[in-house]
Amino acid sequence: MISLLGFLLGITLCGGCYISSKPTPIIMDKGVELMVYEGLTCSDTTMYLTGAQFLMSTSASTLANWTLYTKDFKANYNPLPAELILGGYDHIGDIDYHNGNLFAPIENKNFKEPLLAVYGAASLELVTFAPTNQSHMPWVAGDWNTGLLYSSEFSTVNSLYVYDSKTLTFIRNLTLTSTLHDVQGGVVVDGYLYLTSNPPNPVVQRVELHNNRSPAGTVVKISNVPIAGPEAEGIAHCPAVSGAPYRFIVMTGKAYQAALPCLLLTYDC
């Protein structure tokens, strides 16, 4: 059975924003639509999407056409080993890709010691993980020029957690110039960290990670465009899919909770 997953909306940020008048429908098998609602990332050829307990990959060229069927992707329907589930771990968030690996946050239902995990991108199987001192861990994003991973809490976010991508060990906190709320996704592009938040917060916010253009930790709210789904979730920078060098794909919606379709929106930044 085929159902509508969502729409691709083009948004340009040039002192203001506009939504394309001709959104393109995304078609997906209904069973998979209910599973994909947390995060996404991509390599040059492949896109990866997550649900709370679901991990999948599909070719970038397939998703660039905004049609996705069961035969077009590979999936791991049990990405959390039994011992982790027994320990209360039940939620994979927004992920990032680098050099054949997927870096993923895994949250505990008791909101203690979330895990920073690595999956093989080809196999979609868990390779290793390390506990952290965060409470929530909704997203993880890598600055691959420095080898650093970033994450945050979900609400009242005054700083970022910084980790070593090779050892998964905590390094330091990066203080922010503004407090962020309901942060669910992140991706690093050219030394900037782009974060998603839920309305009424700005949907996309940008953080300076270095001291190149402004002090590290400087927050710029770059989009107040409303979303059509109940939540803003993961964010990815995938030129091979979106068709533009500074176009970001934002996943929204939680079909399994709200009985609403998930959406993929694009933001030009």
Coordinates of all heavy atoms in Angstrom, one line a residue, residues 50-102:
T50 N 16.5 7.5 10.1 CA 16.3 6.7 11.3 C 14.8 6.9 11.8 O 14.2 8.0 11.6 CB 17.2 7.1 12.4 OG1 17.0 8.5 12.8 CG2 18.7 7.0 11.9
G51 N 14.4 5.9 12.5 CA 13.3 6.0 13.5 C 13.8 5.7 14.8 O 15.0 5.5 15.0
A52 N 13.0 5.7 15.8 CA 13.5 5.5 17.2 C 14.2 4.1 17.3 O 15.2 4.0 18.0 CB 12.3 5.5 18.2
Q53 N 13.7 3.1 16.6 CA 14.3 1.8 16.6 C 14.3 1.3 15.2 O 13.9 0.1 14.9 CB 13.6 0.9 17.6 CG 13.7 1.3 19.0 CD 13.1 0.3 20.0 OE1 13.2 -0.9 19.8 NE2 12.6 0.8 21.1
F54 N 14.9 2.1 14.3 CA 14.8 1.7 12.9 C 16.0 2.5 12.2 O 16.2 3.7 12.4 CB 13.5 2.1 12.3 CG 13.4 1.7 10.8 CD1 13.2 0.4 10.4 CD2 13.4 2.8 9.8 CE1 13.1 0.1 9.0 CE2 13.2 2.5 8.5 CZ 13.1 1.2 8.1
L55 N 16.7 1.8 11.3 CA 17.8 2.4 10.6 C 17.7 1.9 9.1 O 17.6 0.7 8.9 CB 19.1 2.0 11.2 CG 20.4 2.7 10.7 CD1 20.4 4.2 10.9 CD2 21.6 2.1 11.5
M56 N 17.8 2.8 8.2 CA 17.7 2.4 6.8 C 18.6 3.3 5.9 O 19.1 4.4 6.3 CB 16.3 2.6 6.3 CG 15.7 4.0 6.3 SD 14.2 4.2 5.3 CE 15.0 4.2 3.6
S57 N 18.9 2.7 4.7 CA 19.7 3.4 3.7 C 19.0 3.3 2.3 O 18.4 2.3 2.1 CB 21.1 2.9 3.6 OG 21.1 1.5 3.2
T58 N 19.2 4.3 1.5 CA 18.7 4.3 0.1 C 19.7 5.1 -0.7 O 20.4 6.0 -0.2 CB 17.3 4.8 0.1 OG1 16.8 4.6 -1.3 CG2 17.2 6.3 0.4
S59 N 19.7 4.9 -2.0 CA 20.6 5.6 -2.9 C 20.1 7.1 -3.0 O 18.9 7.4 -3.0 CB 20.6 5.0 -4.3 OG 19.4 5.3 -5.0
A60 N 21.1 8.0 -3.0 CA 20.8 9.4 -3.1 C 20.0 9.7 -4.4 O 19.1 10.6 -4.4 CB 22.0 10.2 -3.0
S61 N 20.3 9.0 -5.4 CA 19.6 9.3 -6.7 C 18.1 8.8 -6.6 O 17.2 9.5 -7.2 CB 20.2 8.5 -7.8 OG 20.3 7.1 -7.6
T62 N 17.8 7.8 -5.8 CA 16.4 7.4 -5.6 C 15.7 8.4 -4.9 O 14.6 8.8 -5.3 CB 16.4 6.0 -4.9 OG1 17.0 5.0 -5.6 CG2 14.9 5.7 -4.5
L63 N 16.2 8.9 -3.8 CA 15.5 9.9 -3.0 C 15.4 11.2 -3.6 O 14.6 12.0 -3.4 CB 16.1 10.0 -1.6 CG 15.2 10.6 -0.5 CD1 13.9 9.8 -0.4 CD2 15.9 10.7 0.8
A64 N 16.4 11.5 -4.5 CA 16.4 12.8 -5.3 C 15.1 12.9 -6.1 O 14.7 14.0 -6.5 CB 17.6 12.9 -6.1
N65 N 14.6 11.7 -6.5 CA 13.3 11.7 -7.3 C 12.1 11.7 -6.4 O 11.0 11.8 -6.8 CB 13.3 10.4 -8.2 CG 14.3 10.4 -9.2 OD1 14.6 11.5 -9.8 ND2 15.0 9.3 -9.5
W66 N 12.4 11.7 -5.0 CA 11.3 11.8 -4.0 C 10.2 10.7 -4.1 O 9.1 10.9 -3.9 CB 10.7 13.2 -4.0 CG 11.8 14.2 -3.8 CD1 12.4 15.0 -4.7 CD2 12.4 14.4 -2.5 NE1 13.4 15.7 -4.1 CE2 13.4 15.4 -2.7 CE3 12.3 13.9 -1.2 CZ2 14.3 15.9 -1.7 CZ3 13.1 14.4 -0.2 CH2 14.1 15.3 -0.5
T67 N 10.7 9.5 -4.5 CA 9.9 8.3 -4.5 C 10.7 7.3 -3.8 O 11.9 7.1 -4.1 CB 9.5 7.9 -5.9 OG1 10.6 7.6 -6.7 CG2 8.5 8.9 -6.5
L68 N 10.1 6.5 -2.9 CA 10.9 5.5 -2.1 C 10.0 4.3 -1.8 O 8.9 4.5 -1.1 CB 11.4 6.1 -0.8 CG 12.3 5.2 0.0 CD1 13.6 4.8 -0.8 CD2 12.8 6.0 1.3
Y69 N 10.3 3.2 -2.3 CA 9.5 2.0 -2.1 C 10.4 0.9 -1.4 O 11.6 1.0 -1.3 CB 9.0 1.5 -3.4 CG 8.2 2.5 -4.2 CD1 8.8 3.2 -5.2 CD2 6.9 2.8 -3.9 CE1 8.1 4.2 -5.9 CE2 6.2 3.7 -4.5 CZ 6.8 4.5 -5.6 OH 6.1 5.4 -6.2
T70 N 9.7 -0.1 -0.9 CA 10.4 -1.2 -0.2 C 11.6 -1.8 -0.9 O 12.7 -2.0 -0.3 CB 9.4 -2.3 0.2 OG1 8.3 -1.8 0.9 CG2 10.1 -3.4 1.0
K71 N 11.5 -1.9 -2.2 CA 12.6 -2.5 -3.0 C 13.8 -1.6 -3.1 O 14.8 -2.0 -3.6 CB 12.1 -2.9 -4.4 CG 11.6 -1.8 -5.2 CD 11.0 -2.3 -6.5 CE 10.4 -1.1 -7.3 NZ 11.4 -0.1 -7.7
D72 N 13.6 -0.3 -2.8 CA 14.6 0.7 -3.0 C 15.6 0.9 -1.9 O 16.5 1.7 -2.0 CB 14.0 2.0 -3.4 CG 13.2 1.9 -4.7 OD1 13.7 1.2 -5.6 OD2 12.2 2.5 -4.8
F73 N 15.4 0.2 -0.8 CA 16.3 0.5 0.4 C 16.7 -0.7 1.2 O 16.1 -1.8 1.0 CB 15.6 1.5 1.3 CG 14.4 1.0 2.0 CD1 14.4 0.3 3.2 CD2 13.1 1.2 1.5 CE1 13.3 -0.2 3.8 CE2 12.0 0.8 2.1 CZ 12.1 0.1 3.3
K74 N 17.7 -0.5 2.0 CA 18.1 -1.6 2.9 C 17.8 -1.1 4.3 O 17.9 0.1 4.6 CB 19.6 -1.8 2.8 CG 20.2 -2.8 3.8 CD 21.7 -2.9 3.6 CE 22.3 -4.0 4.6 NZ 23.7 -4.2 4.3
A75 N 17.3 -2.0 5.2 CA 16.9 -1.6 6.5 C 17.4 -2.6 7.6 O 17.6 -3.7 7.4 CB 15.4 -1.5 6.6
N76 N 17.6 -2.0 8.8 CA 17.9 -2.8 10.0 C 16.7 -2.5 10.9 O 16.6 -1.4 11.5 CB 19.2 -2.4 10.7 CG 19.5 -3.2 11.9 OD1 18.6 -3.9 12.4 ND2 20.7 -3.1 12.4
Y77 N 15.8 -3.5 11.1 CA 14.6 -3.3 11.9 C 14.9 -3.5 13.4 O 14.0 -3.3 14.2 CB 13.5 -4.3 11.4 CG 13.0 -3.9 10.0 CD1 13.6 -4.5 8.9 CD2 11.9 -3.1 9.9 CE1 13.1 -4.2 7.6 CE2 11.4 -2.8 8.6 CZ 12.0 -3.3 7.5 OH 11.6 -3.0 6.2
N78 N 16.1 -3.9 13.7 CA 16.5 -4.2 15.1 C 17.9 -3.6 15.4 O 18.8 -4.4 15.7 CB 16.4 -5.6 15.5 CG 15.0 -6.2 15.3 OD1 14.1 -5.9 16.1 ND2 14.8 -7.0 14.2
P79 N 18.1 -2.3 15.2 CA 19.4 -1.7 15.4 C 19.9 -1.6 16.8 O 21.1 -1.4 17.0 CB 19.3 -0.3 14.8 CG 17.8 0.0 15.0 CD 17.1 -1.3 14.9
L80 N 19.0 -1.9 17.8 CA 19.4 -1.8 19.2 C 19.5 -3.3 19.7 O 18.5 -4.0 19.7 CB 18.4 -1.1 20.0 CG 18.2 0.4 19.6 CD1 17.2 1.1 20.5 CD2 19.5 1.2 19.7
P81 N 20.7 -3.7 20.1 CA 20.8 -5.1 20.7 C 19.9 -5.3 21.9 O 19.6 -4.3 22.6 CB 22.3 -5.2 21.0 CG 23.0 -4.1 20.2 CD 22.0 -3.0 20.1
A82 N 19.6 -6.5 22.2 CA 18.7 -6.9 23.3 C 19.2 -6.3 24.6 O 18.4 -5.9 25.4 CB 18.5 -8.4 23.4
E83 N 20.5 -6.4 24.8 CA 21.1 -5.9 26.1 C 20.9 -4.4 26.3 O 20.7 -4.0 27.4 CB 22.6 -6.3 26.2 CG 23.5 -5.7 25.2 CD 23.7 -6.7 24.0 OE1 22.8 -7.5 23.7 OE2 24.7 -6.6 23.4
L84 N 20.9 -3.7 25.2 CA 20.7 -2.2 25.4 C 19.2 -2.0 25.6 O 18.8 -1.1 26.5 CB 21.1 -1.5 24.1 CG 22.6 -1.5 23.8 CD1 22.9 -0.6 22.6 CD2 23.4 -0.9 25.0
I85 N 18.3 -2.7 25.0 CA 16.9 -2.5 25.2 C 16.5 -2.9 26.7 O 15.8 -2.2 27.3 CB 16.0 -3.4 24.2 CG1 16.2 -2.8 22.8 CG2 14.6 -3.4 24.6 CD1 15.5 -3.6 21.7
L86 N 17.1 -4.0 27.1 CA 16.9 -4.4 28.5 C 17.4 -3.3 29.5 O 16.9 -3.2 30.6 CB 17.5 -5.7 28.8 CG 16.9 -6.9 28.1 CD1 17.7 -8.2 28.4 CD2 15.5 -7.1 28.7
G87 N 18.4 -2.6 29.1 CA 19.0 -1.5 29.9 C 18.2 -0.2 29.8 O 18.6 0.8 30.4
G88 N 17.1 -0.2 29.0 CA 16.3 1.0 28.9 C 16.6 1.9 27.7 O 15.9 2.9 27.6
Y89 N 17.5 1.5 26.8 CA 17.8 2.3 25.7 C 16.8 2.0 24.6 O 16.6 0.8 24.2 CB 19.2 2.0 25.2 CG 20.2 2.5 26.2 CD1 20.8 1.6 27.2 CD2 20.6 3.8 26.2 CE1 21.7 2.1 28.1 CE2 21.5 4.3 27.1 CZ 22.0 3.4 28.1 OH 22.9 3.9 29.0
D90 N 16.1 3.0 24.1 CA 15.0 2.8 23.2 C 14.8 3.8 22.1 O 13.8 3.9 21.4 CB 13.7 2.7 24.0 CG 13.3 4.1 24.7 OD1 14.2 5.0 24.7 OD2 12.2 4.2 25.2
H91 N 15.8 4.7 21.9 CA 15.6 5.8 21.0 C 16.8 6.3 20.3 O 17.8 6.8 20.9 CB 15.0 7.0 21.8 CG 14.5 8.2 21.0 ND1 15.4 9.0 20.4 CD2 13.3 8.6 20.6 CE1 14.7 10.0 19.7 NE2 13.4 9.7 19.9
I92 N 16.9 6.1 18.9 CA 17.9 6.6 18.1 C 17.5 8.0 17.6 O 16.4 8.1 17.1 CB 18.3 5.7 16.9 CG1 18.7 4.3 17.4 CG2 19.3 6.3 16.0 CD1 18.9 3.3 16.3
G93 N 18.3 9.0 17.6 CA 18.0 10.3 17.2 C 18.6 10.7 15.8 O 18.7 9.8 15.0
D94 N 18.9 11.9 15.7 CA 19.5 12.4 14.4 C 21.0 12.0 14.3 O 21.7 12.2 15.2 CB 19.3 13.9 14.3 CG 19.7 14.5 13.0 OD1 19.5 13.7 12.0 OD2 20.1 15.6 12.9
I95 N 21.4 11.5 13.1 CA 22.6 10.9 12.9 C 23.5 11.7 12.0 O 23.1 12.6 11.4 CB 22.5 9.4 12.4 CG1 21.7 9.5 11.0 CG2 21.7 8.6 13.4 CD1 21.6 8.1 10.4
D96 N 24.8 11.2 11.9 CA 25.7 11.9 10.9 C 26.6 10.8 10.3 O 26.8 9.7 10.9 CB 26.6 12.9 11.6 CG 27.1 14.0 10.6 OD1 26.8 13.8 9.4 OD2 27.7 14.9 11.1
Y97 N 27.1 11.0 9.1 CA 27.9 10.1 8.4 C 29.3 10.6 8.2 O 29.5 11.8 7.9 CB 27.3 9.8 7.0 CG 28.2 9.1 6.0 CD1 28.2 7.7 6.0 CD2 29.1 9.7 5.2 CE1 29.0 6.9 5.2 CE2 30.0 9.0 4.4 CZ 30.0 7.6 4.4 OH 30.8 6.9 3.6
H98 N 30.3 9.7 8.3 CA 31.7 10.0 8.0 C 32.5 8.8 7.7 O 32.5 7.8 8.5 CB 32.3 10.8 9.1 CG 33.7 11.2 8.8 ND1 34.1 12.0 7.7 CD2 34.9 10.8 9.4 CE1 35.4 12.2 7.7 NE2 35.9 11.5 8.7
N99 N 33.1 8.7 6.5 CA 34.1 7.7 6.2 C 33.6 6.3 6.5 O 34.3 5.5 7.1 CB 35.4 8.0 7.0 CG 36.6 7.3 6.5 OD1 36.6 7.0 5.3 ND2 37.6 7.0 7.3
G100 N 32.4 6.0 6.0 CA 31.9 4.6 6.1 C 31.2 4.3 7.5 O 30.8 3.2 7.7
N101 N 31.1 5.3 8.3 CA 30.4 5.1 9.6 C 29.2 6.0 9.8 O 29.2 7.2 9.3 CB 31.4 5.3 10.8 CG 32.5 4.2 10.8 OD1 32.2 3.0 10.7 ND2 33.7 4.6 10.9
L102 N 28.3 5.6 10.6 CA 27.2 6.4 11.0 C 27.3 6.7 12.5 O 27.4 5.7 13.3 CB 25.8 5.7 10.8 CG 25.5 5.4 9.3 CD1 24.2 4.6 9.2 CD2 25.3 6.7 8.5

